């Protein structure tokens, strides 16, 4: 209800803004003129994502890699997101933490400059949540820009360099 997901979806070019614009690399995208090439330059981990049934983790990585002109080396991606223990597992059989790590890998598969993570740790147990935090810190260490939405202040404190607090679509505090 704060407007976080809607704001992120406008920035990603998924939905049109009712007003204003998004500026990326000095290109201003008006509500109906979203640059189609931006999807090749950003990575998105949605709040809710359906994965194809009857595919393994490895097959899912291959499928998503086929959507992009440039991709990160898969071995590097598997190592970065700690996927090696379950590459041959069907997507339906993944634990919550494993599923989130796969979804993070899918957001990184095109080696994006900006990564949008929309409440990626919601529903994870504390151990899986902290493991996921470490993955995010590793990605930040590669000088990637991460835009993270979260309800957890401890998560924001651990992971964020800049914080914006929203209420009903308006920024009420930042720093």
């Amino acid at each position: 209800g704060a407007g976080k997901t809607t704001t992120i979806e406008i920035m990603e070019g998924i939905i049109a803004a009712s007003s204003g614009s998004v500026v990326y690399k000095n290109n201003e995208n008006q509500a109906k003129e979203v640059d189609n090439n931006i999807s090749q330059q950003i990575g998105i981990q949605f709040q809710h994502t359906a994965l194809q049934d009857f595919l393994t983790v490895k097959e899912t990585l291959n499928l998503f890699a086929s959507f992009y002109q440039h991709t990160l080396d898969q071995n590097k991606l598997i190592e970065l997101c700690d996927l090696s223990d379950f590459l041959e597992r069907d997507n339906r059989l993944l634990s919550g933490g494993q599923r989130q790590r796969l979804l993070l890998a899918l957001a990184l598969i095109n080696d994006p400059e900006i990564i949008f993570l929309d409440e990626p740790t919601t529903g994870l147990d504390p151990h899986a949540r902290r493991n996921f935090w470490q993955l995010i810190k590793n990605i930040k260490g590669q000088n990637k820009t991460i835009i993270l939405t979260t309800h957890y202040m401890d998560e924001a404190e651990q992971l964020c360099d800049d914080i914006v607090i929203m209420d009903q679509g308006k920024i009420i505090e930042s720093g």
Side-chain angles (χ1 to χ4, degrees):
K4 297 179 303 300
T5 298
T6 299
T7 301
I8 294 295
E9 288 178 349
I10 291 167
M11 293 169 69
E12 296 163 341
I14 294 171
I15 61 173
S18 56
S19 64
S21 60
V22 175
V23 178
Y24 175 65
K25 291 187 172 183
N26 295 323
N27 294 320
E28 185 172 317
N29 294 323
Q30 297 297 329
K32 295 188 177 160
E33 299 173 12
V34 175
D35 181 1
N36 290 329
N37 291 326
I38 197 162
S39 66
Q40 295 291 318
Q41 300 172 34
I42 65 172
I44 304 171
Q45 183 175 353
F46 294 102
Q47 191 172 6
H48 303 288
T49 301
L51 293 170
Q52 181 65 47
D53 289 344
F54 306 107
L55 288 183
T56 66
V57 168
K58 180 74 170 164
E59 291 167 335
T60 301
L61 291 171
N62 291 334
L63 173 66
F64 275 75
S66 72
F67 300 152
Y68 297 100
Q69 297 162 3
H70 168 75
T71 59
L72 196 59
D73 175 73
Q74 264 198 22
N75 291 326
K76 182 178 177 182
L77 186 62
I78 289 165
E79 181 182 336
L80 179 64
C81 294
D82 196 19
L83 305 175
S84 59
D85 289 343
F86 52 92
L87 280 174
E88 299 305 321
R89 189 169 299 160
D90 186 304
N91 292 331
R92 297 170 297 163
L93 304 176
L94 298 176
S95 71
Q98 291 169 337
R99 186 175 196 284
Q100 289 304 90
R101 293 190 338 243
L102 171 57
L103 293 174
L104 179 61
L106 298 177
L108 296 171
I109 206 158
N110 61 327
D111 196 17
E113 296 178 24
I114 298 177
I115 301 123
F116 294 91
L117 305 176
D118 194 3
E119 300 188 37
T121 64
T122 299
L124 295 183
D125 65 69
H127 180 71
R129 196 165 157 239
R130 295 215 187 269
N131 286 344
F132 200 85
W133 288 3
Q134 188 57 53
L135 294 176
I136 294 171
K137 289 176 182 177
N138 293 345
I139 294 162
K140 280 180 62 177
Q142 297 179 355
N143 293 319
K144 301 284 186 180
T145 298
I146 299 173
I147 299 175
L148 170 77
T149 64
T150 184
H151 286 279
Y152 305 123
M153 290 298 104
D154 60 330
E155 186 164 271
E157 181 180 22
Q158 287 290 317
L159 300 175
C160 299
D161 298 317
D162 297 299
I163 296 176
V164 173
I165 299 175
M166 296 181 68
D167 185 36
Q168 297 182 7
K170 304 277 187 223
I171 294 173
I172 58 172
E173 204 60 54
S174 65

